[in-house]
Amino acid sequence: MFPGFFEWIWDGGHMLFMGALWYALSIIGMGLTFCLIKSAIETQQGKGSHHGDGHGHH
Amino acid sequence: MDSALIPEGVKRCSFGKFMVFISIVSAVLLWGVYAMLLCWLKGLNQTNMNDYYGFALWIWADLAVIALGGGAFFSGFLKYLVGKDELKNIINYAVLIGFICYSSALLILAIDIGQPLRGWFIFWHANVHSMLTEVAFCLSCYFGVLCIEYIPLVLENRQLNKVPFFHNFAHNLHEIMAVFAATGAFLSFFHQGSLGGVAGVLFGRPFAYREGVFVWPWTFFLFTWSAAAFGPCFTLSLTKLLEKISGKKLVKDNVIELLAKISGWMIFTYTIAKIADTYYWAVVTAPGKGQTLMEFYTGNAFYGIWILVLEVIIGGLIPGLILITNKGRKNKYLLTTAIILACIGVSVNRWVMVLQVMAVPVMPFDTWALYYPSWQEVATTILPVAYGVLLIGISYRYMPIFPQERELNPID
Amino acid sequence: MSAKEQKKAKRFGMVIDLDKCTGCGACMVACMAENNVPFKKDESNKLDSITWMRVFKLTNGKEYPDADVCYLPRPCQHCEGHDGHSPCVSVCPATATDYSRETGIVSQIYTRCFGCRYCMAACPYHARYFNWWDPVWPKGMEKMLSPDVSVRMRGIVEKCSFCFHRYQRAMDKAHLEGRRELAENEYQTACTQACPAGAITFGDLNNPGHAVYKLKQSPNAFRLLERLGTNTKVYYVSEREWVRRAGDNYLAHEKTGQVAAAH
């Protein structure tokens, strides 16, 4: 899975397969992180809080 | 009692009735959980699998739910990348079904392996040349994508959405959903294909083996194509089923017909490709390995040529032809028949590519091996179905799954 | 591997004379004892009992007086496939089975296997077995197990290793004596030595000095399912044409022995 493991060979197969995997994982990870951070900032700025007020709890 | 949790402007059955439903399904679920624990604690001797049937009911169930759950990635692909905006009215449900199918597939795999505690070896000691490795990686990653697609739905629950962070998070996830949908489509293309490759690369098994391009046998492309083609039919089938149970129209006809039309053309073209593949395999590939087509369909008590007809003609060509015609899509009965036949067709295909592969003898002095599952295998296969019913029940009750429901069923 | 190393590489294999095999099963017994192969109280169901070496009974399907029987011992065929891509090695997702380019032996790493059984699906010879149960030895027998072979736990796949531990033992001895090469009789499998009829011959298929080198060149030699391209290292010999024909799948018009895949 990582370079350095004894199964790892520096060949096209490993680089292509693992490259695609880590590429997909980083897109997912970065997308999720972006959303989390943006949401945290927006929440801090008070955005979206009107949804919590006014309606009250039943 | 739970009215505060139910989306505004829609009607749901009484809490008592809902609890009765939950209890019945949970009982089935617990039965499955009991069988699952038996398999984990006592080992795979609880199954009827044997050394001839290393792959059996579970792997079929796995392949089938992944194919049927293909509606999620293909609908997402059509909505976010092709721009079929109407599909936003069914995409939530497609995502929910996909989420159920893929979580089920992962659970089944966790039960199916002989040493579940070593399951992580497939990632850690990955052999990149194995189709199964690719399946494991892409499946897990895509399940992550499905979670990301399902989370906003959960957060849109009336009470959860009042929490500012959840509201913002759901909104922001929606904003960049196209990125996740694209990644999901990419991952799905590969793992659906690799599942086809699992059988297609078996050069020691002439029944399964196919030639192909580069490292991918033809089954790789056929599996991806069929998942994209038949997956939406499962989404449509479950939409129709939920409409029937709830007694309400949940999605407008134009949306259903659009998805049915796209699915129809995909099925039709897939079936042509499948027929071409079968023909080439029957006249070139299999004879090249010393076996004739009819050897695969005779000499045993179960597998006859009927299964090929059921898969390709009844479960492929017929639903394809119905769905590509305007008349077929407009006729309620024809449409329902077609989408059910399509679900059967793709499930039979997955069955053939797992169980018949194991059954066919390869050594000339070997015999056909037939198999029937043990109750533990059946129970653990029903387990995901019960889990799916439960999750659909809960999601439908508490989350805004169908955007058109309010408009189609106004409450006075 | 360099060209020089390639030259030195071994391809251990067998030649089994089917006309000599009486079907006594001594090879199966020897294999089980040698390799600590677990067994159940009732071994009658051959679909879930482990037999690294299994003797198949073949018949020519004719009536008396033309009826004929052949017993075919089937160890793991140690396929080389194309360039080491044997059917099972290439599919194992966790690199738990490996093709050795030094010996030509297909190994199984028991501590690595997590029991997905894809290799079993890939093997057309049914040479791979799953441990459906944990091994249970009759009281006292655990003390008689071979210390050179690890016992296997429930939930993993195992198979014939060409008694690889014997190779390791022989190599250890050779190294201590300052040698790098083994004599033919220094490394022999348990089944080979147990066969009372002398039907099994084992050695390096690449070594012209070994008996198998010549035996495999017999016009009556064939390999199981050769046309699939598995490129096995177990050769069979029989003077009977129907036996040679039973070793592979033939279309009605095809001649025996003329359909093998090229390597």
Side-chain angles (χ1 to χ4, degrees):
Chain A
M1 191 172 175
F2 301 102
F5 281 25
F6 81 84
E7 301 92 347
W8 184 280
I9 308 160
W10 284 105
D11 64 357
H14 276 77
M15 287 189 273
L16 205 69
F17 183 92
M18 292 298 172
L21 167 79
W22 290 114
Y23 180 64
L25 271 180
S26 30
I27 289 178
I28 298 169
M30 286 194 296
L32 202 57
T33 316
F34 168 77
C35 286
L36 279 169
I37 293 172
K38 193 174 174 216
S39 308
I41 293 170
E42 283 173 356
T43 310
Q44 211 131 52
Q45 288 169 347
K47 207 176 162 190
S49 56
H50 59 279
H51 281 265
D53 304 324
H55 297 289
H57 295 278
H58 298 283
Chain B
M1 194 174 168
D2 61 343
S3 56
L5 290 164
I6 292 170
E8 274 173 308
V10 298
K11 204 170 174 305
R12 293 288 179 265
C13 70
S14 71
F15 185 67
K17 204 170 163 186
F18 183 63
M19 283 325 283
V20 172
F21 158 79
I22 293 282
S23 312
I24 296 169
V25 183
S26 297
V28 180
L29 186 93
L30 284 175
W31 179 55
V33 169
Y34 172 63
M36 177 180 82
L37 291 174
L38 277 180
C39 293
W40 272 340
L41 297 173
K42 294 191 169 184
L44 295 185
N45 51 52
Q46 299 293 303
T47 71
N48 268 359
M49 286 191 279
N50 55 51
D51 292 326
Y52 273 47
Y53 271 97
F55 282 177
L57 186 73
W58 286 335
I59 297 291
W60 165 73
D62 225 60
L63 262 63
V65 294
I66 290 172
L68 295 169
F73 96 85
F74 194 58
S75 311
F77 173 78
L78 290 172
K79 181 186 179 295
Y80 294 106
L81 302 176
V82 180
K84 298 279 177 195
D85 201 49
E86 299 98 305
L87 295 181
K88 66 174 184 250
N89 298 309
I90 201 168
I91 192 102
N92 291 348
Y93 198 43
V95 163
L96 171 61
I97 294 165
F99 178 82
I100 291 166
C101 287
Y102 277 78
S103 47
S104 302
L106 288 172
L107 177 71
I108 296 173
L109 282 179
I111 306 171
D112 182 70
I113 54 178
Q115 282 288 333
L117 295 177
R118 293 182 187 173
W120 55 283
F121 284 13
I122 199 168
F123 304 107
W124 205 250
H125 301 297
N127 168 18
V128 299
H129 302 292
S130 172
M131 286 288 168
L132 216 52
T133 308
E134 200 179 350
V135 170
F137 275 103
C138 291
L139 202 76
S140 312
C141 291
Y142 182 55
F143 180 62
V145 171
L146 279 169
C147 288
I148 292 170
E149 290 180 342
Y150 182 56
I151 287 170
L153 279 179
V154 177
L155 297 182
E156 274 166 13
N157 166 275
R158 215 164 105 201
Q159 297 305 326
L160 287 175
N161 208 244
K162 284 178 183 168
V163 180
F165 177 76
F166 287 167
H167 174 82
N168 291 334
F169 189 46
H171 174 77
N172 286 327
L173 283 175
H174 270 306
E175 289 284 295
I176 60 158
M177 201 49 87
V179 175
F180 294 121
T183 315
F186 169 79
L187 291 166
S188 291
F189 178 82
F190 279 100
H191 76 244
Q192 296 281 3
S194 299
L195 280 170
V198 163
V201 297
L202 301 179
F203 65 92
R205 299 257 188 188
F207 181 76
Y209 179 73
R210 297 290 190 280
E211 285 91 350
V213 183
F214 191 38
V215 295
W216 298 297
W218 296 127
T219 49
F220 181 98
F221 306 101
L222 288 173
F223 266 52
T224 304
W225 200 339
S226 58
F230 294 90
C233 281
F234 189 58
T235 312
L236 291 176
S237 304
L238 292 192
T239 308
K240 290 275 167 203
L241 187 66
L242 192 56
E243 284 184 341
K244 191 110 190 147
I245 292 169
S246 64
K248 277 187 263 185
K249 186 115 192 75
L250 298 169
V251 182
K252 284 184 183 171
D253 282 337
N254 69 320
V255 180
I256 302 266
E257 281 165 29
L258 172 69
L259 197 56
K261 185 181 175 182
I262 296 168
S263 180
W265 278 107
M266 289 290 289
I267 293 175
F268 182 66
T269 47
Y270 161 79
T271 308
I272 292 169
K274 174 74 189 170
I275 291 170
D277 168 73
T278 307
Y279 177 77
Y280 186 79
W281 162 73
V283 301
V284 179
T285 314
K289 288 173 176 280
Q291 292 191 282
T292 58
L293 178 72
M294 286 319 287
E295 277 180 48
F296 300 131
Y297 298 100
T298 46
N300 74 96
F302 183 71
Y303 293 105
I305 199 79
W306 62 268
I307 202 161
L308 189 64
V309 175
L310 177 64
E311 179 202 332
V312 182
I313 308 296
I314 300 171
L317 200 58
I318 292 175
L321 285 172
I322 293 174
L323 294 178
I324 58 171
T325 55
N326 198 29
K327 248 187 185 164
R329 293 192 299 271
K330 293 261 189 249
N331 183 316
K332 212 173 86 182
Y333 296 103
L334 276 178
L335 176 74
T336 310
T337 309
I339 56 180
I340 292 172
L341 282 181
C343 293
I344 294 172
V346 73
S347 303
V348 171
N349 170 263
R350 297 322 194 237
W351 178 280
V352 164
M353 294 311 277
V354 176
L355 283 120
Q356 198 175 351
V357 170
M358 300 295 115
V360 177
V362 185
M363 290 187 291
F365 47 86
D366 219 345
T367 47
W368 280 80
L370 295 179
Y371 140 100
Y372 58 92
S374 71
W375 75 263
Q376 290 93 329
E377 283 173 274
V378 174
T380 40
T381 306
I382 291 174
L383 162 69
V385 179
Y387 149 75
V389 172
L390 214 55
L391 203 59
I392 289 178
I394 294 169
S395 301
Y396 171 64
R397 190 173 176 84
Y398 299 121
M399 296 163 206
I401 301 287
F402 297 101
Q404 293 176 320
E405 184 185 357
R406 226 189 303 192
E407 185 193 338
L408 288 166
N409 306 276
I411 303 174
D412 300 323
Chain C
M1 199 187 280
S2 70
K4 204 177 161 194
E5 283 171 320
Q6 196 93 48
K7 232 178 168 181
K8 272 166 64 185
K10 314 271 188 293
R11 281 179 69 245
F12 286 109
M14 274 178 188
V15 180
I16 303 178
D17 191 332
L18 297 177
D19 296 340
K20 284 184 185 168
C21 177
T22 61
C24 71
C27 53
M28 293 174 69
V29 176
C31 173
M32 292 194 78
E34 177 75 21
N35 292 294
N36 300 334
V37 176
F39 49 88
K40 302 174 297 187
K41 272 190 180 142
D42 179 3
E43 284 276 290
S44 56
N45 182 5
K46 287 297 160 208
L47 291 176
D48 65 11
S49 52
I50 303 177
T51 42
W52 286 14
M53 169 65 106
R54 180 169 172 200
V55 178
F56 282 86
K57 183 184 178 184
L58 281 59
T59 56
N60 64 351
K62 291 184 179 167
E63 295 288 322
Y64 176 84
D66 299 318
D68 194 8
V69 174
C70 170
Y71 293 96
L72 186 141
R74 188 250 37 219
C76 168
Q77 307 286 303
H78 293 273
C79 307
E80 188 175 350
H82 175 68
D83 193 29
H85 289 284
S86 60
C88 55
V89 170
S90 51
V91 300
C92 176
T95 333
T97 182
D98 186 45
Y99 182 83
S100 163
R101 289 170 196 276
E102 281 77 39
T103 59
I105 292 173
V106 175
S107 63
Q108 180 73 13
I109 309 165
Y110 307 127
T111 48
R112 176 70 72 78
C113 172
F114 65 89
C116 75
R117 308 181 299 285
Y118 191 12
C119 55
M120 293 167 64
C123 175
Y125 306 103
H126 296 294
R128 292 181 156 271
Y129 294 90
F130 188 72
N131 282 274
W132 301 100
W133 290 268
D134 263 320
V136 179
W137 312 102
K139 203 167 179 289
M141 193 181 160
E142 70 277 1
K143 295 188 182 114
M144 317 294 277
L145 297 175
S146 164
D148 289 335
V149 184
S150 57
V151 288
R152 284 75 60 185
M153 68 201 296
R154 185 181 83 198
I156 61 162
V157 173
E158 61 178 69
K159 65 163 201 74
C160 156
S161 65
F162 268 172
C163 292
F164 186 70
H165 57 287
R166 290 185 170 209
Y167 175 73
Q168 287 175 310
R169 210 158 50 195
M171 282 304 277
D172 283 351
K173 186 167 169 277
H175 275 252
L176 279 173
E177 292 167 3
R179 290 181 290 130
R180 288 291 180 270
E181 293 294 324
L182 296 178
E184 189 177 7
N185 63 0
E186 277 187 297
Y187 168 40
Q188 289 292 316
T189 62
C191 55
T192 306
Q193 294 182 325
C195 179
I200 307 176
T201 313
F202 182 79
D204 178 7
L205 298 166
N206 275 354
N207 189 334
H210 285 201
V212 287
Y213 185 85
K214 285 180 206 78
L215 288 171
K216 74 177 165 79
Q217 289 166 357
S218 156
N220 291 331
F222 65 97
R223 294 183 288 177
L224 279 184
L225 303 175
E226 204 164 351
R227 67 190 305 176
L228 296 185
T230 45
N231 194 9
T232 68
K233 282 192 281 300
V234 176
Y235 287 77
Y236 294 90
V237 180
S238 178
E239 285 183 5
R240 293 169 286 179
E241 204 225 333
W242 75 265
V243 172
R244 296 199 299 276
R245 199 169 176 84
D248 218 327
N249 288 303
Y250 288 93
L251 301 177
H253 66 273
E254 288 171 342
K255 282 186 181 162
T256 310
Q258 293 186 354
V259 287
H263 281 286

